[in-house]
Amino acid sequence: MNHPVLNAVPRAATTKGELNTLRKQGKIPAVIYGGGQAAEQILLDAKEFKQATSGISESTIISIHVGKEKKDAFVRERQREPLSLDIIHVDFLEVIKDRLLRAKVSIHLVGTPVGVKDGGVLETPAHEVEVECFPADLPEKIEFDISGLQANHSVHVRDLPVLKGVKVITSPELVIAAVKFAKAEVEAAPAAAEAAAPAEGAAAAPGAAPAAPGAAPAAAGAAPAAAKKEEKK
């Protein structure tokens, strides 16, 4: 596997002012650690670093040439200036050829799922997995074809292709892609139906006497119950 190459020079301990001067000259202070030896201070060319590391993933191993010495390492951290976002310092984590390492590898999904063509929405909750392997076996990415993924179905870490010499540490049940239908559930308000229906058990008018059992309702406009007696002449 061909790794990006960076050329560097050793860097002695310098003051903050001297570091700022180096940055203005197009240099990036950096450090390499983790190889079992003391951390090594180096100096990089800013343009070369940008070109060599453009588009790389966290699992990309970079070959760093410091004089006649070569070290393989990951970019562990980039420090940026808050306003300009220019890189002002880089931390490298050295990897040893015959020593197992753990790294996060990005998942590259290929194809358009059948479920999306049918109107579904693709969700990708996980974009990387953690693996354990020797540096020579470390993949820069894992490709997975999701063209056959149907609506309301998902794929998990366990569905990824098996790579020789690579052990996946991430849980096999982790979902990496799923297709779901976007449903806007709107509940119809039954206000009209409820307004049309009679109110069951409605309260009686204030002060009204309860109706006698079996009594027929009074007719509208009925004459008074007691009739006046006609006077005899």
Side-chain angles (χ1 to χ4, degrees), residues 73-112:
F74 297 119
V75 175
R76 179 56 67 196
E77 183 181 3
R78 296 177 176 90
Q79 297 178 24
R80 297 180 181 272
E81 202 283 324
L83 296 179
S84 66
L85 298 182
D86 291 334
I87 298 175
I88 58 175
H89 193 275
V90 180
D91 288 359
F92 291 98
L93 178 63
E94 185 178 359
V95 297
I96 307 301
K97 181 179 179 180
D98 298 323
R99 183 186 300 174
L100 284 172
L101 60 83
R102 286 193 177 188
K104 293 181 179 179
V105 180
S106 61
I107 302 171
H108 183 60
L109 302 178
V110 180
T112 302

Side-chain angles (χ1 to χ4, degrees), residues 56-61 74-76 93 101-107 127-133 138-142 166-170:
I56 69 170
S57 66
E58 186 179 338
S59 61
T60 301
I61 296 177
F74 297 119
V75 175
R76 179 56 67 196
L93 178 63
L101 60 83
R102 286 193 177 188
K104 293 181 179 179
V105 180
S106 61
I107 302 171
H127 301 88
E128 61 186 15
V129 291
E130 186 177 10
V131 302
E132 182 181 72
C133 62
L138 181 65
E140 292 190 12
K141 62 183 178 181
I142 299 176
V166 178
K167 178 182 178 181
V168 178
I169 305 300
T170 303

Side-chain angles (χ1 to χ4, degrees), residues 26-231:
K27 305 299 180 181
I28 301 177
V31 61
I32 306 175
Y33 62 90
Q37 300 178 355
E40 183 176 2
Q41 308 286 337
I42 60 174
L43 201 62
L44 305 170
D45 181 80
K47 290 183 179 180
E48 183 185 37
F49 177 81
K50 183 178 180 180
Q51 292 174 353
T53 60
S54 177
I56 69 170
S57 66
E58 186 179 338
S59 61
T60 301
I61 296 177
I62 299 174
S63 295
I64 306 174
H65 293 250
V66 186
K68 295 182 179 180
E69 186 181 12
K70 187 190 82 167
K71 293 186 175 183
D72 290 335
F74 297 119
V75 175
R76 179 56 67 196
E77 183 181 3
R78 296 177 176 90
Q79 297 178 24
R80 297 180 181 272
E81 202 283 324
L83 296 179
S84 66
L85 298 182
D86 291 334
I87 298 175
I88 58 175
H89 193 275
V90 180
D91 288 359
F92 291 98
L93 178 63
E94 185 178 359
V95 297
I96 307 301
K97 181 179 179 180
D98 298 323
R99 183 186 300 174
L100 284 172
L101 60 83
R102 286 193 177 188
K104 293 181 179 179
V105 180
S106 61
I107 302 171
H108 183 60
L109 302 178
V110 180
T112 302
V114 174
V116 171
K117 296 178 180 179
D118 292 338
V121 176
L122 176 64
E123 296 182 356
T124 55
H127 301 88
E128 61 186 15
V129 291
E130 186 177 10
V131 302
E132 182 181 72
C133 62
F134 289 107
D137 298 323
L138 181 65
E140 292 190 12
K141 62 183 178 181
I142 299 176
E143 290 193 351
F144 188 76
D145 188 353
I146 56 172
S147 300
L149 184 59
Q150 300 179 358
N152 296 324
H153 286 72
S154 58
V155 292
H156 303 75
V157 169
R158 64 173 179 266
D159 301 315
L160 293 174
V162 177
L163 302 178
K164 184 179 179 180
V166 178
K167 178 182 178 181
V168 178
I169 305 300
T170 303
S171 169
E173 303 305 318
L174 180 66
V175 175
I176 59 176
V179 175
K180 299 180 180 180
F181 276 114
K183 296 181 180 179
E185 297 183 0
V186 179
E187 297 182 0
E194 291 180 358
E200 184 177 350
K228 292 182 179 180
K229 293 184 179 180
E230 191 175 304
E231 294 182 359

